[in-house]
Each structure stands twice: as structure tokens, then as C-alpha cells.
Amino acid sequence: MSRLRPAALALAAVALAALLGGCGGDDGAGTQSAAATATTTAHAEGRPVTDEQALALARVLQQNWQRGGARFTGSVVVHGTAIPMSGRADFRSGRGTATLREPGAASRRYVWTRRAVYAQSDPGSRRYAVQRPDPDGDPVHAAIALINLLSAETIDNTANIQDQGARFLRGDTVDGTPVDVYRYRSGGGATYAIGRDDGLLRQLDARLPAGELVVTLTSHEPVRVAVPEGQR
């Protein structure tokens, strides 16, 4: 068995917290009171995970790594509008691609690596604008950052997961597949829907500064993503 380490899911939660923390500061007692109320509500929601459930959480990101990649659908909020998206991610190389389809407008394709984001200049164009990753300032980049965190080479530390207040929220289904839904870190801004039978991550639902991000993994398989021609 792989040696346990307090890394994968914890890093994803920390990154999410950093994205959320980048939105505004402390206004004073009123803001602190609202935050305390939200935290109390989150603590009351669901129940602490069992040892078996903690193990499911500990393994979920390694499962993505072992399968190499995934295809996904979902939506990300941009300027107050939820934009449908679909794409694929190569978890081992850190590359991915997504096409966003804004209602009433032409679709736009994004390709990314660990160092850059390539945004299609015009619909159907072979030209891409090279962008420096900016998850704090660009909601699409924030979505990309979280998608890239959905895998890990080894399993996480179950004790760390329990210490961070992971909670089982409910049983549910995603595209007809029975799942268990968890929130990692009490008061955290993301929930993970994990297949009850296979332990695979089926859906991530995260609250980002710009609005909700939903990523539904529709397949778990190796994928290849090429950097736009002439951009290597």
C-alpha cells in the first residue's frame, strides 16, 4: 500500500480557501458575525465521516491519477452568468482543454498547461492568446486551477481528513450513479460526490468568488491534450 501522506485533498482544500480568501477583506464586527454564523451552520450540516468514509476521500484523487485523465461537463460563473462548459483533463501532464458556450454567443475554447492558459482569439480561429494563469482574477482560470488539483499520485492521510472536519452530507445520484456527497473541511467551499460502488469522483461543486463552479466527470480514462499549434 502507498505510504499515507497529508497532501492531496488537503492541498485542494487549501487552494480553494486561498481562492475564496482572495475576495475582499474584513469589514469589521458585522462581517465577523456573518462568518461565524456561516461556520456554525456548516458545522451543523451532515455528520463527521467514519473511518471507511475517510478512506474513500483519501483515495479519490489517487483514483483520478491512476486512470490518467477524465472527460467532464459543467458550468462556471463568468460576470454573473453560469456558462456551460465541456472538456477533458490529462491529470498526469497537467494539461487540459475546455469549451465554454455562453448563451447567445459563440463558443470559446481554452487549452492549458501548468504554466500557461491559451484562450481562443475568435470562434473557430487557430489563433490563441497566451495568458499567464490568474486564478485570483479570472473565473475561468480559477476553474482550471481546481480541475488541475483533482488528482494525486498517492492516497491522502485519513487522520488529516478527519482532523480537518470532513463531513458526510447525504446520499444522492449523479447522472444515475449512486454517490455519497462530502464536504471537506467544515465551513469549506466545496463538496465532493464520490461513487458509492467504485470510489470515483463524480462531481465537484465549489463556491468561488465569482460564483458557483460545477464539474461533472463523465469518464475516467487517459486523454491527450495538444498545445495549440505554434504555441509550444
Side-chain angles (χ1 to χ4, degrees):
M1 179 180 289
S2 301
R3 182 171 63 86
L4 295 175
R5 66 184 180 90
L9 206 56
L11 284 177
V14 169
L16 177 60
L19 288 171
L20 295 171
C23 182
D26 182 1
D27 293 353
T31 301
Q32 292 173 347
S33 176
T37 300
T39 300
T40 300
T41 300
H43 274 285
E45 188 177 11
R47 61 177 185 265
V49 296
T50 64
D51 291 344
E52 183 178 1
Q53 290 169 337
L55 185 57
L57 279 167
R59 288 175 169 168
V60 68
L61 300 189
Q62 187 198 33
Q63 294 255 53
N64 282 345
W65 175 271
Q66 289 177 333
R67 282 160 178 74
R71 298 179 185 275
F72 63 85
T73 61
S75 63
V76 58
V77 173
V78 180
H79 303 309
T81 300
I83 308 299
M85 65 177 180
S86 61
R88 59 191 189 277
D90 180 346
F91 292 127
R92 295 186 180 178
S93 72
R95 292 184 177 186
T97 180
T99 299
L100 275 64
R101 297 177 176 84
E102 184 175 355
S107 62
R108 189 179 190 188
R109 182 171 180 251
Y110 291 80
V111 179
W112 64 85
T113 67
R114 290 193 176 99
R115 297 184 178 182
V117 176
Y118 305 89
Q120 192 174 37
S121 300
D122 298 295
S125 174
R126 298 180 63 181
R127 298 184 60 184
Y128 287 77
V130 184
Q131 303 172 342
R132 191 186 199 107
D134 180 21
D136 293 327
D138 188 313
V140 177
H141 289 210
I144 289 169
L146 285 183
I147 291 170
N148 274 352
L149 286 170
L150 295 181
S151 74
E153 292 186 55
T154 59
I155 68 175
D156 215 327
N157 188 313
T158 55
N160 180 71
I161 288 172
Q162 290 172 313
D163 289 344
Q164 292 292 332
R167 301 183 75 84
F168 170 76
L169 301 183
R170 65 185 182 277
D172 209 333
T173 59
V174 173
D175 293 338
T177 298
V179 297
D180 291 326
V181 182
Y182 302 91
R183 172 165 288 124
Y184 185 58
R185 295 168 63 96
S186 295
T191 59
Y192 302 83
I194 298 175
R196 193 171 302 151
D197 297 327
D198 56 19
L200 293 175
L201 180 64
R202 298 294 177 174
Q203 191 170 82
L204 169 73
D205 191 324
R207 298 191 306 272
L208 299 178
E212 186 179 28
L213 165 69
V214 178
V215 178
T216 301
L217 304 185
T218 57
S219 73
H220 299 76
E221 60 185 340
V223 300
R224 296 187 65 183
V225 178
V227 174
E229 186 176 347
Q231 299 288 354
R232 290 181 176 80

